[in-house]
Amino acid sequence: MSEEIENIQFELTDELISQVERLIEARDNKALQKLLKDFHHADIAEILDELDLDEAIYIIKLLDSETTADILMELDEDNREKVLRNLSSKEIADEIGELDTDDAADIISELPEDRKREVISHIEDKEHQAEIEELLAYHEDTAGGLMAKELVKVYETWTVAGCLRRIRGQAKEVTRVHSIYVVDKKNKLVGRLSLKDLIVAKSDQKIAEISNSSVDSVNVHDDAEDVARIMQKYDLEAIPVVDDNQILLGRITIDDIVDVMKEEAEKDYQLAAGITADVEADDSIWELTKARLPWLLIGMFGGIGAASIINGFSDAMLKFPALLMFIPLIQATAGNVGVQSSAIVVQGLANDSIDGNVLSRLFKEFLLGLVNGLAIACIVLLISHFVFQTTYLESLTICVALISVIIMAALIGTFIPIFLDKRGIDAAVATGPFITTSNDVFGILMYFLIAKLILGF
Amino acid sequence: MSEEIENIQFELTDELISQVERLIEARDNKALQKLLKDFHHADIAEILDELDLDEAIYIIKLLDSETTADILMELDEDNREKVLRNLSSKEIADEIGELDTDDAADIISELPEDRKREVISHIEDKEHQAEIEELLAYHEDTAGGLMAKELVKVYETWTVAGCLRRIRGQAKEVTRVHSIYVVDKKNKLVGRLSLKDLIVAKSDQKIAEISNSSVDSVNVHDDAEDVARIMQKYDLEAIPVVDDNQILLGRITIDDIVDVMKEEAEKDYQLAAGITADVEADDSIWELTKARLPWLLIGMFGGIGAASIINGFSDAMLKFPALLMFIPLIQATAGNVGVQSSAIVVQGLANDSIDGNVLSRLFKEFLLGLVNGLAIACIVLLISHFVFQTTYLESLTICVALISVIIMAALIGTFIPIFLDKRGIDAAVATGPFITTSNDVFGILMYFLIAKLILGF
């Protein structure tokens, strides 16, 4: 027995993929089944993601639907879409019959409208079908969109022994029993039990006696990100979902929340990098362009704005050419400071760790900008004077401009995300190129205005 | 009973905080205990994070150590450190006695060296003490640093009935029973059971008959981020940790992994924004400066580099002043493209979704850069010609430079993270200011070289 135990160490090698490809080409179904039998469905999905569509579909059709349903769930979304397009509605319905209601609803919701109805009509288990239809009615970004109907439910009037007997039936359909939910006769959620409580209790005790009545729940219309935050904060592994009348509708488990968290983190990261849609390195050039070009255009208009400002000061430029050299420095510094400030605020907002007072936060950023600005200005002063031999007034201009621009960038980078958040807009959009572009333009304008003041052109 | 059920809706209001402060000032312990009794420890921690240190310590000393131990775990790291500094070693040891071994070890490892030994020596439960000391020996970024010693373990030779009887004892000490681990007489991990399996089984069956021998495990020295990736990929809620001889040492649960994932995402986000240390909006100006100044200095040297380049072309500048206007545009575009490209690669590397071939990836980025570059160059061509009235050759220079710079930035943004990753360096450091700065300098150099070629100065 102990030989079968091993640390997880699946590695997707080129040899493995070509072995699978050779077996598919040779139509050697027996060898294929034998090879894939020992792999976890998540690993098989990784293999399929590397194969051609025809080959992937060949394997999906070869393996039994219990395995392939799980594989489908783990495939790249793009690949899953392609595979599903090549399966009949009946075949998809068979796969879906093997999945929990939440996964089943996720897959169906990815299908085109007309196929949705067809696939649903082919689901054989009528109860499963009705539950999936119920879930499809909720928005995907709500608790209802995340929850599964599979749960273990007992009535408060049952005894421990009767309860153990009856949940043996329910539990077989539930992959993981996190909690047993206690309901009254109207299906209102009134408490919670763990399997452990049940095992530790005496068999003639009533459920109402041993259940924990302070059970946390979320409303079916609550925002998915809020549910994620709650489960994380309170270290919950599952949470029941109720309607406005506290009727138990379903439960959300931590693995779904892990996915929500990951998507959220990736989205914020991409927004900060100026990528608007959810893209991956392997997407097509067209998809990548659609996601990337919008921010590049905004950056471009910023650049044109900066060009207009420089153009407006063209006489001064020719009188003080040294000033021009430092435009890139001013611009880069303004951009970097703005991104730093906004990232800290955006993260603080996401963690709810930023408390109300905007003015004190702006004052802190002002001080921070002053400290950083003084440090950088000192170094630039020395370099500009000794290396570029700027005049006394030119050096002064550059240093005053640097400090001012750093403070301005820190204030803008702090203020805009807080402002957006108060207006109910996701502050994450205000990072990256957005902050950089506005700071570029304001920074250069400020630079020339300070130069005008000091050098008097 | 049903009145006690409510959706989670704790809100940290100013009124609540001042109410707590008033009660502390009045030394009204009864009212304080009554008020806080109904709050979850994570909520009390949020309240404490808002109070002055004296007030927070007052509450910690007031409440019983079962609650305060959990509160301590949820406090902001900085605040926890301050609170612990104001508790005696004996008091800390009492708190730690209430915590699971993994949390206990985390808290002790935050203490200064001399206090560590003192606190450990005060832990009353000698077994708990020994287990915590064992955990302290592992590096915090490894499976050993994440695992807890609390788990439910049964021998393969036991019967289901005997097993149920015996695990009643073990399970009381384990907050959540995810899996029951089956070991042989040498404590080697040989299988896994769920409580559900046990309840569903017949009472005279042997454990070896019903246990699942294909149990996943990780080695105690495995990297924490790898463990997170594995648990997420295979949707595991707990994983056993073994040593090199497959001896069962502990288990890691999904809530610890959620924390690892969150920290990792925040770190990557901050790196992309040019913040080097793990800071929060509420940290001191000195800490924030330490985290932010390094990248600003790198950006500054980039700006100085750009200044040298412009200085080197100063004659050309005076002959073609129109060129100067577009320096900010070239620089901003190079920066934005570089950040976009690197973010996609870094995310792909983190998800293991980027496969080997560097050349084909670079070729794709080349095409992508060409498409984006042509789109932007067309618009700039029109604007520069009609708005800024640049000459034919100047317009050509600007457009050719824009396209070239975009392609170059895309290639650099793609190549550097892949290169670092192959060298075993975390690719996330190569985003944000690093890419922006190098693209600034190379972009401006390329601009002038192309201008020289086309305009022939």
Side-chain angles (χ1 to χ4, degrees), chain A residues 188-344:
Chain A
K188 240 187 206 173
L189 178 70
V190 295
R192 183 177 61 81
L193 274 183
S194 67
L195 271 181
K196 196 184 89 182
D197 296 331
L198 214 54
I199 292 178
V200 175
K202 294 202 190 76
S203 61
D204 58 350
Q205 279 184 294
K206 279 266 187 302
I207 292 300
E209 284 172 56
I210 62 164
S211 84
N212 184 347
S213 67
S214 73
V215 51
D216 299 320
S217 63
V218 289
N219 185 285
V220 69
H221 299 299
D222 282 352
D223 192 72
E225 293 189 9
D226 289 336
V227 177
R229 199 153 24 231
I230 286 169
M231 290 187 72
Q232 208 183 325
K233 178 175 166 190
Y234 297 111
D235 271 346
L236 304 174
E237 298 189 339
I239 196 163
V241 181
V242 296
D243 68 7
D244 296 338
N245 300 316
Q246 296 290 335
I247 305 294
L248 179 63
L249 296 179
R251 66 151 186 188
I252 295 172
T253 50
I254 185 81
D255 52 319
D256 301 316
I257 292 306
V258 167
D259 295 340
V260 171
M261 278 175 57
K262 208 177 156 210
E263 274 169 34
E264 215 183 317
E266 290 191 351
K267 198 188 70 186
D268 285 356
Y269 190 83
Q270 294 199 331
L271 279 175
I275 303 167
T276 48
D278 181 23
V279 285
E280 280 173 38
D282 289 328
D283 285 345
S284 71
I285 289 190
W286 168 236
E287 280 172 303
L288 286 167
T289 301
K290 267 198 305 186
R292 290 167 61 160
L293 199 53
W295 277 124
L296 293 184
L297 288 174
I298 290 178
M300 185 202 75
F301 284 111
I304 299 286
S308 309
I309 295 170
I310 298 178
N311 196 34
F313 288 93
S314 54
D315 294 346
M317 254 172 36
L318 297 174
K319 249 169 53 201
F320 300 99
L323 286 187
L324 287 165
M325 288 196 300
F326 291 97
I327 289 178
L329 173 65
I330 297 281
Q331 186 183 353
T333 309
N336 287 344
V337 170
V339 168
Q340 288 181 336
S341 300
S342 63
I344 289 185

Side-chain angles (χ1 to χ4, degrees), chain B residues 247-276:
Chain B
I247 304 294
L248 179 62
L249 295 180
R251 65 151 185 186
I252 296 173
T253 50
I254 185 80
D255 53 319
D256 300 316
I257 292 306
V258 167
D259 295 341
V260 171
M261 280 176 55
K262 208 177 156 207
E263 273 168 35
E264 215 183 317
E266 290 191 351
K267 199 188 69 188
D268 285 355
Y269 190 83
Q270 295 199 331
L271 279 175
I275 303 167
T276 46

Side-chain angles (χ1 to χ4, degrees), chain B residues 83-138:
Chain B
V83 168
L84 290 177
R85 225 182 286 149
N86 283 278
L87 297 180
S88 72
S89 299
K90 177 79 183 64
E91 283 168 324
I92 298 178
D94 289 344
E95 304 283 355
I96 278 171
E98 300 292 338
L99 291 173
D100 280 352
T101 46
D102 55 342
D103 292 339
D106 286 347
I107 289 214
I108 291 180
S109 65
E110 286 173 16
L111 296 172
E113 272 316 315
D114 49 328
R115 285 206 91 188
K116 270 185 201 168
R117 297 248 49 89
E118 250 184 80
V119 169
I120 293 172
S121 70
H122 277 107
I123 297 173
E124 281 174 13
D125 179 340
K126 290 307 152 193
E127 197 189 329
H128 199 53
Q129 188 190 55
E131 287 177 343
I132 293 170
E133 286 194 274
E134 181 196 331
L135 292 185
L136 283 172
Y138 300 111

